[in-house]
Amino acid sequence: IDFKEQNIRKNLNFGHTIGHAIESLFLQQDNIIPHGEAVAIGMICETHLASSLNLIDDNTTNIIIKNIQKHFPYIAIESFKNEDIIALMQNDKKNVNGEISFSLIDKIGHCLYDQKVEINQINTTLDFYRALIS
């Protein structure tokens, strides 16, 4: 067992980097959402991130996001500012030197861990998620 979340165990963090930050913001508002629903938001966002980094193609991106949407409702995050979500992600224990570290998919069923992403890409991804409601 990899209690320190090193190596391949980090793949289980897919969706959790963004998901935990959003879950924490809901908790701060005394509006608790299920952990799985927060991680589903994170999985959608982090799939979009993987696509923006050309780790997966558009078809794979659409398949993954549509399948998540079939099982989890859209949860509005319009009341949260991107910078507040990002600030919580920067405080995550998995980060090194303040760099946000993601586990991102490079194909269905496979993940790459310790992926660094620019803040502007995270902003774009959060805006992408918000646009899914329309």
Side-chain angles (χ1 to χ4, degrees):
I1 299 175
D2 191 354
F3 292 108
K4 295 185 179 177
E5 292 190 8
Q6 297 173 347
N7 306 317
I8 198 166
R9 175 99 167 72
K10 291 181 178 182
N11 290 343
L12 298 176
N13 291 325
F14 171 59
H16 284 75
T17 303
I18 291 175
H20 279 159
I22 289 170
E23 186 176 24
S24 294
L25 289 170
F26 275 106
L27 188 60
Q28 289 173 14
Q29 292 182 342
D30 288 325
N31 182 10
I32 298 171
I33 64 169
H35 176 71
E37 292 183 14
V39 172
I41 295 169
M43 290 170 73
I44 289 171
C45 291
E46 293 176 28
T47 296
H48 181 265
L49 272 178
S51 176
S52 71
L53 294 169
N54 295 314
L55 295 174
I56 54 175
D57 61 31
D58 289 343
N59 185 53
T60 303
T61 301
N62 291 332
I63 289 169
I64 293 168
I65 290 173
K66 295 288 181 217
N67 274 294
I68 294 167
Q69 289 175 315
K70 273 194 251 179
H71 300 285
F72 292 93
Y74 176 85
I75 295 176
I77 60 167
E78 280 67 26
S79 63
F80 305 136
K81 295 179 183 163
N82 286 359
E83 49 268 23
D84 293 336
I85 297 169
I86 292 167
L88 284 170
M89 292 189 320
Q90 288 172 321
N91 289 327
D92 191 288
K93 67 179 191 264
K94 296 182 293 296
N95 296 331
V96 179
N97 299 327
E99 286 187 300
I100 302 172
S101 186
F102 289 88
S103 292
L104 298 175
I105 53 174
D106 61 340
K107 63 182 176 185
I108 293 175
H110 192 265
C111 216
L112 301 172
Y113 53 85
D114 294 334
Q115 299 297 298
K116 307 298 186 231
V117 176
E118 301 293 324
I119 297 297
N120 65 327
Q121 291 170 302
I122 298 169
N123 281 317
T124 299
T125 289
L126 293 169
D127 294 341
F128 164 82
Y129 176 80
R130 288 185 185 97
L132 291 176
I133 192 64
S134 52

